[in-house]
Amino acid sequence: MAVIYSTMAFVEIIALFASLIALAVYIVRAIVRAFTEPKLPPPKKEDLRHLKRAGQSGPY
């Protein structure tokens, strides 16, 4: 019985280290992606001149 308990304890320790390593990889990958992904350009202001010609200008 002692062999089974010690084996289970060893397996639990391995699983704990594996989950910690996976969490660290996930966090590092998110940080790297945040800095390396191309940034989207800011959206252009909508051109509303076509509404003025149509008489639908509304508040500017």
Side-chain angles (χ1 to χ4, degrees):
M1 256 346 233
V3 174
I4 294 174
Y5 288 139
S6 61
T7 304
M8 290 302 293
F10 183 72
V11 168
E12 286 182 11
I13 291 171
I14 296 291
L16 176 67
F17 281 129
S19 64
L20 288 177
I21 290 171
L23 180 65
V25 167
Y26 180 76
I27 291 173
V28 168
R29 187 180 67 172
I31 292 171
V32 168
R33 281 187 177 181
F35 284 110
T36 59
E37 281 187 359
K39 302 286 187 255
L40 295 175
K44 294 181 180 177
K45 189 172 181 183
E46 187 180 354
D47 187 14
L48 300 175
R49 287 181 286 182
H50 63 285
L51 296 177
K52 279 186 177 178
R53 285 196 301 270
Q56 306 166 2
S57 59
Y60 277 97

PDB file of all heavy atoms in Angstrom, residues 32-59:
ATOM      1  N   VAL A  32       3.980  38.238 -24.794  1.00  0.00           N
ATOM      2  CA  VAL A  32       4.710  38.343 -26.059  1.00  0.00           C
ATOM      3  C   VAL A  32       3.769  38.741 -27.184  1.00  0.00           C
ATOM      4  O   VAL A  32       4.111  39.593 -28.008  1.00  0.00           O
ATOM      5  CB  VAL A  32       5.422  37.008 -26.378  1.00  0.00           C
ATOM      6  CG1 VAL A  32       5.935  36.984 -27.802  1.00  0.00           C
ATOM      7  CG2 VAL A  32       6.563  36.781 -25.408  1.00  0.00           C
ATOM      8  N   ARG A  33       2.580  38.155 -27.212  1.00  0.00           N
ATOM      9  CA  ARG A  33       1.621  38.519 -28.258  1.00  0.00           C
ATOM     10  C   ARG A  33       1.187  39.977 -28.144  1.00  0.00           C
ATOM     11  O   ARG A  33       0.936  40.632 -29.147  1.00  0.00           O
ATOM     12  CB  ARG A  33       0.393  37.626 -28.189  1.00  0.00           C
ATOM     13  CG  ARG A  33       0.610  36.279 -28.789  1.00  0.00           C
ATOM     14  CD  ARG A  33      -0.689  35.521 -28.844  1.00  0.00           C
ATOM     15  NE  ARG A  33      -0.505  34.229 -29.488  1.00  0.00           N
ATOM     16  CZ  ARG A  33      -1.483  33.367 -29.680  1.00  0.00           C
ATOM     17  NH1 ARG A  33      -2.691  33.640 -29.278  1.00  0.00           N
ATOM     18  NH2 ARG A  33      -1.235  32.223 -30.276  1.00  0.00           N
ATOM     19  N   ALA A  34       1.072  40.485 -26.931  1.00  0.00           N
ATOM     20  CA  ALA A  34       0.639  41.876 -26.747  1.00  0.00           C
ATOM     21  C   ALA A  34       1.664  42.845 -27.323  1.00  0.00           C
ATOM     22  O   ALA A  34       1.306  43.908 -27.818  1.00  0.00           O
ATOM     23  CB  ALA A  34       0.414  42.163 -25.274  1.00  0.00           C
ATOM     24  N   PHE A  35       2.948  42.478 -27.253  1.00  0.00           N
ATOM     25  CA  PHE A  35       3.979  43.381 -27.751  1.00  0.00           C
ATOM     26  C   PHE A  35       4.317  43.149 -29.214  1.00  0.00           C
ATOM     27  O   PHE A  35       4.808  44.054 -29.879  1.00  0.00           O
ATOM     28  CB  PHE A  35       5.257  43.250 -26.910  1.00  0.00           C
ATOM     29  CG  PHE A  35       5.143  43.925 -25.579  1.00  0.00           C
ATOM     30  CD1 PHE A  35       5.075  43.184 -24.421  1.00  0.00           C
ATOM     31  CD2 PHE A  35       5.087  45.298 -25.485  1.00  0.00           C
ATOM     32  CE1 PHE A  35       4.961  43.795 -23.193  1.00  0.00           C
ATOM     33  CE2 PHE A  35       4.967  45.933 -24.260  1.00  0.00           C
ATOM     34  CZ  PHE A  35       4.909  45.172 -23.100  1.00  0.00           C
ATOM     35  N   THR A  36       4.078  41.960 -29.748  1.00  0.00           N
ATOM     36  CA  THR A  36       4.503  41.675 -31.111  1.00  0.00           C
ATOM     37  C   THR A  36       3.400  41.777 -32.147  1.00  0.00           C
ATOM     38  O   THR A  36       3.688  41.884 -33.328  1.00  0.00           O
ATOM     39  CB  THR A  36       5.118  40.260 -31.208  1.00  0.00           C
ATOM     40  OG1 THR A  36       4.155  39.306 -30.791  1.00  0.00           O
ATOM     41  CG2 THR A  36       6.361  40.158 -30.361  1.00  0.00           C
ATOM     42  N   GLU A  37       2.143  41.735 -31.748  1.00  0.00           N
ATOM     43  CA  GLU A  37       1.072  41.852 -32.732  1.00  0.00           C
ATOM     44  C   GLU A  37       1.060  43.253 -33.317  1.00  0.00           C
ATOM     45  O   GLU A  37       1.293  44.238 -32.615  1.00  0.00           O
ATOM     46  CB  GLU A  37      -0.287  41.566 -32.086  1.00  0.00           C
ATOM     47  CG  GLU A  37      -0.567  40.106 -31.908  1.00  0.00           C
ATOM     48  CD  GLU A  37      -1.979  39.844 -31.436  1.00  0.00           C
ATOM     49  OE1 GLU A  37      -2.727  40.817 -31.224  1.00  0.00           O
ATOM     50  OE2 GLU A  37      -2.326  38.674 -31.260  1.00  0.00           O
ATOM     51  N   PRO A  38       0.793  43.357 -34.618  1.00  0.00           N
ATOM     52  CA  PRO A  38       0.730  44.699 -35.210  1.00  0.00           C
ATOM     53  C   PRO A  38      -0.457  45.471 -34.640  1.00  0.00           C
ATOM     54  O   PRO A  38      -1.544  44.917 -34.454  1.00  0.00           O
ATOM     55  CB  PRO A  38       0.538  44.423 -36.702  1.00  0.00           C
ATOM     56  CG  PRO A  38      -0.022  43.047 -36.773  1.00  0.00           C
ATOM     57  CD  PRO A  38       0.533  42.305 -35.587  1.00  0.00           C
ATOM     58  N   LYS A  39      -0.199  46.701 -34.340  1.00  0.00           N
ATOM     59  CA  LYS A  39      -1.256  47.548 -33.775  1.00  0.00           C
ATOM     60  C   LYS A  39      -2.168  48.036 -34.899  1.00  0.00           C
ATOM     61  O   LYS A  39      -1.705  48.402 -35.972  1.00  0.00           O
ATOM     62  CB  LYS A  39      -0.648  48.753 -33.055  1.00  0.00           C
ATOM     63  CG  LYS A  39       0.309  48.369 -31.950  1.00  0.00           C
ATOM     64  CD  LYS A  39      -0.455  47.841 -30.754  1.00  0.00           C
ATOM     65  CE  LYS A  39       0.460  47.623 -29.587  1.00  0.00           C
ATOM     66  NZ  LYS A  39       0.766  46.257 -29.315  1.00  0.00           N
ATOM     67  N   LEU A  40      -3.462  48.037 -34.640  1.00  0.00           N
ATOM     68  CA  LEU A  40      -4.402  48.546 -35.624  1.00  0.00           C
ATOM     69  C   LEU A  40      -4.339  50.066 -35.646  1.00  0.00           C
ATOM     70  O   LEU A  40      -4.210  50.705 -34.598  1.00  0.00           O
ATOM     71  CB  LEU A  40      -5.822  48.100 -35.278  1.00  0.00           C
ATOM     72  CG  LEU A  40      -6.085  46.598 -35.344  1.00  0.00           C
ATOM     73  CD1 LEU A  40      -7.494  46.306 -34.857  1.00  0.00           C
ATOM     74  CD2 LEU A  40      -5.896  46.094 -36.742  1.00  0.00           C
ATOM     75  N   PRO A  41      -4.419  50.651 -36.828  1.00  0.00           N
ATOM     76  CA  PRO A  41      -4.414  52.122 -36.875  1.00  0.00           C
ATOM     77  C   PRO A  41      -5.695  52.665 -36.256  1.00  0.00           C
ATOM     78  O   PRO A  41      -6.731  51.977 -36.261  1.00  0.00           O
ATOM     79  CB  PRO A  41      -4.349  52.434 -38.377  1.00  0.00           C
ATOM     80  CG  PRO A  41      -4.903  51.222 -39.044  1.00  0.00           C
ATOM     81  CD  PRO A  41      -4.534  50.066 -38.158  1.00  0.00           C
ATOM     82  N   PRO A  42      -5.656  53.871 -35.712  1.00  0.00           N
ATOM     83  CA  PRO A  42      -6.872  54.428 -35.117  1.00  0.00           C
ATOM     84  C   PRO A  42      -7.940  54.611 -36.196  1.00  0.00           C
ATOM     85  O   PRO A  42      -7.614  54.911 -37.346  1.00  0.00           O
ATOM     86  CB  PRO A  42      -6.420  55.769 -34.544  1.00  0.00           C
ATOM     87  CG  PRO A  42      -5.158  56.091 -35.261  1.00  0.00           C
ATOM     88  CD  PRO A  42      -4.526  54.795 -35.628  1.00  0.00           C
ATOM     89  N   PRO A  43      -9.197  54.428 -35.862  1.00  0.00           N
ATOM     90  CA  PRO A  43     -10.248  54.565 -36.877  1.00  0.00           C
ATOM     91  C   PRO A  43     -10.337  56.001 -37.382  1.00  0.00           C
ATOM     92  O   PRO A  43     -10.170  56.955 -36.620  1.00  0.00           O
ATOM     93  CB  PRO A  43     -11.521  54.152 -36.139  1.00  0.00           C
ATOM     94  CG  PRO A  43     -11.202  54.309 -34.698  1.00  0.00           C
ATOM     95  CD  PRO A  43      -9.719  54.090 -34.559  1.00  0.00           C
ATOM     96  N   LYS A  44     -10.582  56.116 -38.672  1.00  0.00           N
ATOM     97  CA  LYS A  44     -10.712  57.454 -39.261  1.00  0.00           C
ATOM     98  C   LYS A  44     -12.064  58.038 -38.891  1.00  0.00           C
ATOM     99  O   LYS A  44     -13.053  57.311 -38.750  1.00  0.00           O
ATOM    100  CB  LYS A  44     -10.595  57.367 -40.785  1.00  0.00           C
ATOM    101  CG  LYS A  44      -9.226  56.940 -41.253  1.00  0.00           C
ATOM    102  CD  LYS A  44      -9.184  56.911 -42.757  1.00  0.00           C
ATOM    103  CE  LYS A  44      -7.807  56.472 -43.233  1.00  0.00           C
ATOM    104  NZ  LYS A  44      -7.751  56.367 -44.687  1.00  0.00           N
ATOM    105  N   LYS A  45     -12.086  59.361 -38.743  1.00  0.00           N
ATOM    106  CA  LYS A  45     -13.347  60.017 -38.458  1.00  0.00           C
ATOM    107  C   LYS A  45     -14.244  59.901 -39.682  1.00  0.00           C
ATOM    108  O   LYS A  45     -13.783  60.068 -40.805  1.00  0.00           O
ATOM    109  CB  LYS A  45     -13.107  61.477 -38.102  1.00  0.00           C
ATOM    110  CG  LYS A  45     -14.327  62.174 -37.600  1.00  0.00           C
ATOM    111  CD  LYS A  45     -14.032  63.556 -37.079  1.00  0.00           C
ATOM    112  CE  LYS A  45     -15.317  64.167 -36.563  1.00  0.00           C
ATOM    113  NZ  LYS A  45     -15.106  65.539 -36.112  1.00  0.00           N
ATOM    114  N   GLU A  46     -15.491  59.578 -39.446  1.00  0.00           N
ATOM    115  CA  GLU A  46     -16.407  59.361 -40.561  1.00  0.00           C
ATOM    116  C   GLU A  46     -16.639  60.661 -41.316  1.00  0.00           C
ATOM    117  O   GLU A  46     -16.865  61.719 -40.721  1.00  0.00           O
ATOM    118  CB  GLU A  46     -17.728  58.819 -40.023  1.00  0.00           C
ATOM    119  CG  GLU A  46     -18.681  58.411 -41.114  1.00  0.00           C
ATOM    120  CD  GLU A  46     -19.990  57.868 -40.588  1.00  0.00           C
ATOM    121  OE1 GLU A  46     -20.100  57.715 -39.359  1.00  0.00           O
ATOM    122  OE2 GLU A  46     -20.876  57.609 -41.388  1.00  0.00           O
ATOM    123  N   ASP A  47     -16.574  60.570 -42.638  1.00  0.00           N
ATOM    124  CA  ASP A  47     -16.808  61.738 -43.488  1.00  0.00           C
ATOM    125  C   ASP A  47     -18.316  61.911 -43.647  1.00  0.00           C
ATOM    126  O   ASP A  47     -18.999  61.045 -44.198  1.00  0.00           O
ATOM    127  CB  ASP A  47     -16.128  61.535 -44.841  1.00  0.00           C
ATOM    128  CG  ASP A  47     -16.186  62.786 -45.698  1.00  0.00           C
ATOM    129  OD1 ASP A  47     -16.504  63.865 -45.160  1.00  0.00           O
ATOM    130  OD2 ASP A  47     -15.922  62.676 -46.915  1.00  0.00           O
ATOM    131  N   LEU A  48     -18.840  63.023 -43.169  1.00  0.00           N
ATOM    132  CA  LEU A  48     -20.289  63.249 -43.182  1.00  0.00           C
ATOM    133  C   LEU A  48     -20.709  64.261 -44.238  1.00  0.00           C
ATOM    134  O   LEU A  48     -21.841  64.717 -44.243  1.00  0.00           O
ATOM    135  CB  LEU A  48     -20.752  63.723 -41.797  1.00  0.00           C
ATOM    136  CG  LEU A  48     -20.491  62.750 -40.646  1.00  0.00           C
ATOM    137  CD1 LEU A  48     -20.883  63.368 -39.334  1.00  0.00           C
ATOM    138  CD2 LEU A  48     -21.229  61.445 -40.861  1.00  0.00           C
ATOM    139  N   ARG A  49     -19.799  64.620 -45.161  1.00  0.00           N
ATOM    140  CA  ARG A  49     -20.153  65.631 -46.154  1.00  0.00           C
ATOM    141  C   ARG A  49     -21.262  65.167 -47.085  1.00  0.00           C
ATOM    142  O   ARG A  49     -22.067  65.970 -47.549  1.00  0.00           O
ATOM    143  CB  ARG A  49     -18.928  66.024 -46.975  1.00  0.00           C
ATOM    144  CG  ARG A  49     -17.967  66.891 -46.161  1.00  0.00           C
ATOM    145  CD  ARG A  49     -16.789  67.274 -46.984  1.00  0.00           C
ATOM    146  NE  ARG A  49     -15.932  66.084 -47.132  1.00  0.00           N
ATOM    147  CZ  ARG A  49     -14.790  66.067 -47.769  1.00  0.00           C
ATOM    148  NH1 ARG A  49     -14.344  67.159 -48.339  1.00  0.00           N
ATOM    149  NH2 ARG A  49     -14.075  64.972 -47.844  1.00  0.00           N
ATOM    150  N   HIS A  50     -21.328  63.873 -47.358  1.00  0.00           N
ATOM    151  CA  HIS A  50     -22.367  63.380 -48.261  1.00  0.00           C
ATOM    152  C   HIS A  50     -23.757  63.584 -47.650  1.00  0.00           C
ATOM    153  O   HIS A  50     -24.740  63.722 -48.366  1.00  0.00           O
ATOM    154  CB  HIS A  50     -22.130  61.901 -48.595  1.00  0.00           C
ATOM    155  CG  HIS A  50     -22.215  61.005 -47.406  1.00  0.00           C
ATOM    156  ND1 HIS A  50     -21.209  60.923 -46.456  1.00  0.00           N
ATOM    157  CD2 HIS A  50     -23.188  60.155 -46.995  1.00  0.00           C
ATOM    158  CE1 HIS A  50     -21.564  60.052 -45.525  1.00  0.00           C
ATOM    159  NE2 HIS A  50     -22.752  59.578 -45.818  1.00  0.00           N
ATOM    160  N   LEU A  51     -23.851  63.639 -46.321  1.00  0.00           N
ATOM    161  CA  LEU A  51     -25.147  63.866 -45.696  1.00  0.00           C
ATOM    162  C   LEU A  51     -25.582  65.316 -45.831  1.00  0.00           C
ATOM    163  O   LEU A  51     -26.772  65.602 -45.923  1.00  0.00           O
ATOM    164  CB  LEU A  51     -25.086  63.464 -44.224  1.00  0.00           C
ATOM    165  CG  LEU A  51     -24.832  61.985 -43.949  1.00  0.00           C
ATOM    166  CD1 LEU A  51     -24.736  61.756 -42.452  1.00  0.00           C
ATOM    167  CD2 LEU A  51     -25.916  61.120 -44.553  1.00  0.00           C
ATOM    168  N   LYS A  52     -24.620  66.237 -45.869  1.00  0.00           N
ATOM    169  CA  LYS A  52     -24.967  67.651 -46.021  1.00  0.00           C
ATOM    170  C   LYS A  52     -25.609  67.888 -47.384  1.00  0.00           C
ATOM    171  O   LYS A  52     -26.598  68.584 -47.504  1.00  0.00           O
ATOM    172  CB  LYS A  52     -23.725  68.530 -45.891  1.00  0.00           C
ATOM    173  CG  LYS A  52     -23.303  68.799 -44.486  1.00  0.00           C
ATOM    174  CD  LYS A  52     -22.161  69.794 -44.480  1.00  0.00           C
ATOM    175  CE  LYS A  52     -21.764  70.132 -43.060  1.00  0.00           C
ATOM    176  NZ  LYS A  52     -20.635  71.065 -43.018  1.00  0.00           N
ATOM    177  N   ARG A  53     -25.047  67.270 -48.419  1.00  0.00           N
ATOM    178  CA  ARG A  53     -25.592  67.469 -49.754  1.00  0.00           C
ATOM    179  C   ARG A  53     -26.992  66.880 -49.868  1.00  0.00           C
ATOM    180  O   ARG A  53     -27.824  67.375 -50.596  1.00  0.00           O
ATOM    181  CB  ARG A  53     -24.675  66.823 -50.786  1.00  0.00           C
ATOM    182  CG  ARG A  53     -23.411  67.600 -51.028  1.00  0.00           C
ATOM    183  CD  ARG A  53     -22.729  67.154 -52.294  1.00  0.00           C
ATOM    184  NE  ARG A  53     -22.388  65.725 -52.278  1.00  0.00           N
ATOM    185  CZ  ARG A  53     -21.254  65.229 -51.830  1.00  0.00           C
ATOM    186  NH1 ARG A  53     -20.331  66.033 -51.325  1.00  0.00           N
ATOM    187  NH2 ARG A  53     -21.026  63.936 -51.854  1.00  0.00           N
ATOM    188  N   ALA A  54     -27.254  65.814 -49.132  1.00  0.00           N
ATOM    189  CA  ALA A  54     -28.552  65.162 -49.233  1.00  0.00           C
ATOM    190  C   ALA A  54     -29.599  65.827 -48.333  1.00  0.00           C
ATOM    191  O   ALA A  54     -30.746  65.434 -48.349  1.00  0.00           O
ATOM    192  CB  ALA A  54     -28.419  63.699 -48.855  1.00  0.00           C
ATOM    193  N   GLY A  55     -29.184  66.804 -47.532  1.00  0.00           N
ATOM    194  CA  GLY A  55     -30.128  67.476 -46.650  1.00  0.00           C
ATOM    195  C   GLY A  55     -30.431  66.685 -45.397  1.00  0.00           C
ATOM    196  O   GLY A  55     -31.438  66.911 -44.756  1.00  0.00           O
ATOM    197  N   GLN A  56     -29.563  65.761 -45.027  1.00  0.00           N
ATOM    198  CA  GLN A  56     -29.792  64.948 -43.835  1.00  0.00           C
ATOM    199  C   GLN A  56     -28.686  65.188 -42.826  1.00  0.00           C
ATOM    200  O   GLN A  56     -28.228  64.259 -42.173  1.00  0.00           O
ATOM    201  CB  GLN A  56     -29.811  63.464 -44.230  1.00  0.00           C
ATOM    202  CG  GLN A  56     -30.769  63.127 -45.329  1.00  0.00           C
ATOM    203  CD  GLN A  56     -30.470  61.745 -45.887  1.00  0.00           C
ATOM    204  OE1 GLN A  56     -29.592  61.072 -45.434  1.00  0.00           O
ATOM    205  NE2 GLN A  56     -31.224  61.364 -46.903  1.00  0.00           N
ATOM    206  N   SER A  57     -28.241  66.412 -42.722  1.00  0.00           N
ATOM    207  CA  SER A  57     -27.006  66.675 -41.979  1.00  0.00           C
ATOM    208  C   SER A  57     -27.116  66.325 -40.505  1.00  0.00           C
ATOM    209  O   SER A  57     -26.227  65.714 -39.955  1.00  0.00           O
ATOM    210  CB  SER A  57     -26.595  68.143 -42.150  1.00  0.00           C
ATOM    211  OG  SER A  57     -27.622  68.974 -41.671  1.00  0.00           O
ATOM    212  N   GLY A  58     -28.163  66.724 -39.850  1.00  0.00           N
ATOM    213  CA  GLY A  58     -28.258  66.451 -38.421  1.00  0.00           C
ATOM    214  C   GLY A  58     -27.252  67.276 -37.654  1.00  0.00           C
ATOM    215  O   GLY A  58     -26.593  68.164 -38.184  1.00  0.00           O
ATOM    216  N   PRO A  59     -27.085  67.022 -36.371  1.00  0.00           N
ATOM    217  CA  PRO A  59     -26.139  67.816 -35.569  1.00  0.00           C
ATOM    218  C   PRO A  59     -24.696  67.430 -35.901  1.00  0.00           C
ATOM    219  O   PRO A  59     -24.345  66.260 -35.923  1.00  0.00           O
ATOM    220  CB  PRO A  59     -26.491  67.435 -34.127  1.00  0.00           C
ATOM    221  CG  PRO A  59     -27.092  66.083 -34.244  1.00  0.00           C
ATOM    222  CD  PRO A  59     -27.784  66.028 -35.569  1.00  0.00           C
TER     223      PRO A  59
END
